[in-house]
Amino acid sequence: MALAAKAPIPAAGGGELQKIETLLGGSRVLAHHLTNALDAHELLLRGLPASALDHLVGNLVFIGKTESLEKAVGMSLRTWQRRKETPNKPLSQEQSGRAWKFAEILAKATDIFGSQAEAEQWLERPAVGLDQRRPIDLLGTPAGVELVEDHLDRVEYGIYA
């Protein structure tokens, strides 16, 4: 089981958890500080507050509110706008997981490329290692997410093919 070998939620050791937490609005939006992967798991089971997705999308530098972003976070722009009327109502587990995964990939890409703007531009550009597909377009399915994560690992270690 190749999928089970990957930890879906990073351990707090490298600070990745805090980077994801910050992208989602920090402890102010999430209502508590995440100290480990189990905290994140419990948060996602309960559902992220809609304001976490607002914070994530509202702080994007390069990526606009497009169909690609909608697929990546698992929510249409129309639904997202309706959810703004009830910011305290949590997202579904699926929506929470997709928003978390998008934030996780954005945090990792930011580390690799040096800035959030560069990371977002990378997500929007066709990638040779992804058969000229844009990474953001692949985030709508678990298989696509795995492809993007694997590609990011190859970029991080200088292996492009």
Side-chain angles (χ1 to χ4, degrees):
M1 275 198 174
L3 203 54
K6 277 193 172 180
I9 301 172
E16 291 179 51
L17 189 63
Q18 282 67 41
K19 292 173 186 172
I20 297 164
E21 180 181 5
T22 299
L23 285 169
L24 294 169
S27 57
R28 178 183 54 80
V29 171
L30 300 178
H32 68 280
H33 178 66
L34 303 177
T35 57
N36 57 47
L38 282 175
D39 286 348
H41 170 75
E42 293 298 326
L43 173 67
L44 295 174
L45 279 178
R46 288 190 307 273
L48 290 172
S51 53
L53 183 58
D54 291 344
H55 188 274
L56 176 63
V57 172
N59 287 292
L60 293 174
V61 177
F62 183 79
I63 296 173
K65 294 175 185 147
T66 63
E67 186 176 324
S68 297
L69 179 63
E70 291 176 2
K71 288 178 185 171
V73 299
M75 186 181 299
S76 72
L77 182 58
R78 177 92 173 98
T79 300
W80 181 64
Q81 288 170 335
R82 277 196 314 270
R83 294 299 304 255
K84 288 179 105 171
E85 297 168 7
T86 55
N88 294 331
K89 182 178 178 190
L91 301 176
S92 70
Q93 285 183 10
E94 180 183 347
Q95 291 165 335
S96 295
R98 298 270 293 272
W100 179 274
K101 184 52 81 174
F102 180 77
E104 182 179 8
I105 288 171
L106 181 58
K108 182 171 184 166
T110 298
D111 283 347
I112 292 168
F113 295 107
S115 74
Q116 184 175 322
E118 287 293 323
E120 289 181 34
Q121 288 177 30
W122 174 81
L123 282 164
E124 288 278 310
R125 282 192 301 260
V128 173
L130 295 172
D131 200 25
Q132 293 301 318
R133 289 186 173 92
R134 298 179 327 150
I136 195 167
D137 291 334
L138 297 173
L139 298 180
T141 68
V145 166
E146 188 170 339
L147 285 169
V148 171
E149 289 175 326
D150 289 346
H151 184 67
L152 257 179
D153 288 342
R154 290 194 312 268
V155 169
E156 182 176 20
Y157 294 105
I159 306 167
Y160 294 98

